[in-house]
């Protein structure tokens, strides 16, 4: 009988952690760092108010969905640019930014200063609402 209670407790605990992790994905968070590595700094569009810098890997399925969503959002929004950077061969870049999973999207200003970040596939309306104060 003790084994059954251990199993039930383990499943309950795993469910709580899983739900907490799932709810954090796609949420807009404030910036963690202010400077970008040189590999990423050169990708920032100085003519755009905000560049959405997507950190991806080649084997990441949600990265494809994020790429489509962000490219569409940038195409429809004035002052917004989207760039994708694959860290598969550049793990040091992900490490320097504190990126632990892909996709991670960084919103940076024209000087390359990080404004906010999203882990996982962003929620379109939430991201757009968070970006509005930074857009023309």
């Amino acid at each position: 009988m003790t084994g059954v209670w251990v199993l039930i407790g383990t499943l309950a605990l795993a469910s709580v952690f899983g739900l907490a992790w799932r709810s954090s994905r796609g949420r807009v968070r404030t910036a963690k760092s202010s400077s970008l590595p040189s590999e990423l700094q050169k990708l920032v569009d100085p003519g755009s108010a905000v560049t959405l810098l997507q950190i991806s890997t080649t084997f990441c399925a949600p990265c494809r969905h994020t790429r489509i969503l962000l490219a569409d959002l940038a195409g429809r929004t004035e002052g917004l640019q989207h760039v994708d950077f694959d860290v598969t061969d550049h793990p040091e870049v992900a490490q320097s930014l504190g990126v632990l999973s892909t996709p991670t999207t960084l919103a940076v200003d024209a000087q390359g200063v990080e404004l906010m970040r999203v882990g996982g596939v962003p929620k379109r309306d939430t991201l757009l609402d968070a970006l509005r104060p930074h857009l023309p």
Side-chain angles (χ1 to χ4, degrees), residues 83-98:
V83 179
D84 190 7
F85 185 79
D86 190 331
V87 293
T88 303
D89 296 325
H90 306 282
E92 70 282 354
V93 173
Q95 184 179 13
S96 71
L97 291 170

Side-chain angles (χ1 to χ4, degrees), residues 37 40 55-57 85 87 90-102 117:
L40 299 180
I55 308 298
S56 303
T57 52
F85 185 79
V87 293
H90 306 282
E92 70 282 354
V93 173
Q95 184 179 13
S96 71
L97 291 170
V99 172
L100 301 175
S101 64
T102 56
R117 65 173 55 198

Side-chain angles (χ1 to χ4, degrees), residues 9-32:
T10 302
L11 290 174
L13 192 59
S15 296
V16 168
F17 282 122
L19 290 172
W21 178 79
R22 186 176 180 197
S23 70
S24 71
R25 306 301 290 165
R27 199 176 53 183
V28 176
R29 294 173 286 159
T30 56
K32 288 189 176 191

Side-chain angles (χ1 to χ4, degrees), residues 109-133:
D109 66 11
Q111 290 76 38
V113 176
E114 184 179 340
L115 304 169
M116 63 193 76
R117 65 173 55 198
V118 180
V121 179
K123 294 175 177 75
R124 181 186 193 96
D125 294 335
T126 305
L127 179 60
L128 192 54
D129 288 342
L131 290 172
R132 279 204 174 99

Side-chain angles (χ1 to χ4, degrees), residues 28-94:
V28 176
R29 294 173 286 159
T30 56
K32 288 189 176 191
S33 65
S34 60
S35 61
L36 292 176
S38 60
E39 297 92 341
L40 299 180
Q41 187 68 41
K42 61 186 173 186
L43 298 176
V44 174
D45 183 1
S48 293
V50 177
T51 299
L52 296 175
L53 183 56
Q54 180 183 340
I55 308 298
S56 303
T57 52
T58 54
F59 50 83
C60 169
C63 293
R64 290 189 227 36
H65 180 70
T66 301
R67 188 176 304 114
I68 292 167
L69 184 140
L70 296 178
D72 180 60
L73 187 62
R76 296 171 184 252
T77 308
E78 181 185 346
L80 191 60
Q81 181 71 27
H82 170 247
V83 179
D84 190 7
F85 185 79
D86 190 331
V87 293
T88 303
D89 296 325
H90 306 282
E92 70 282 354
V93 173

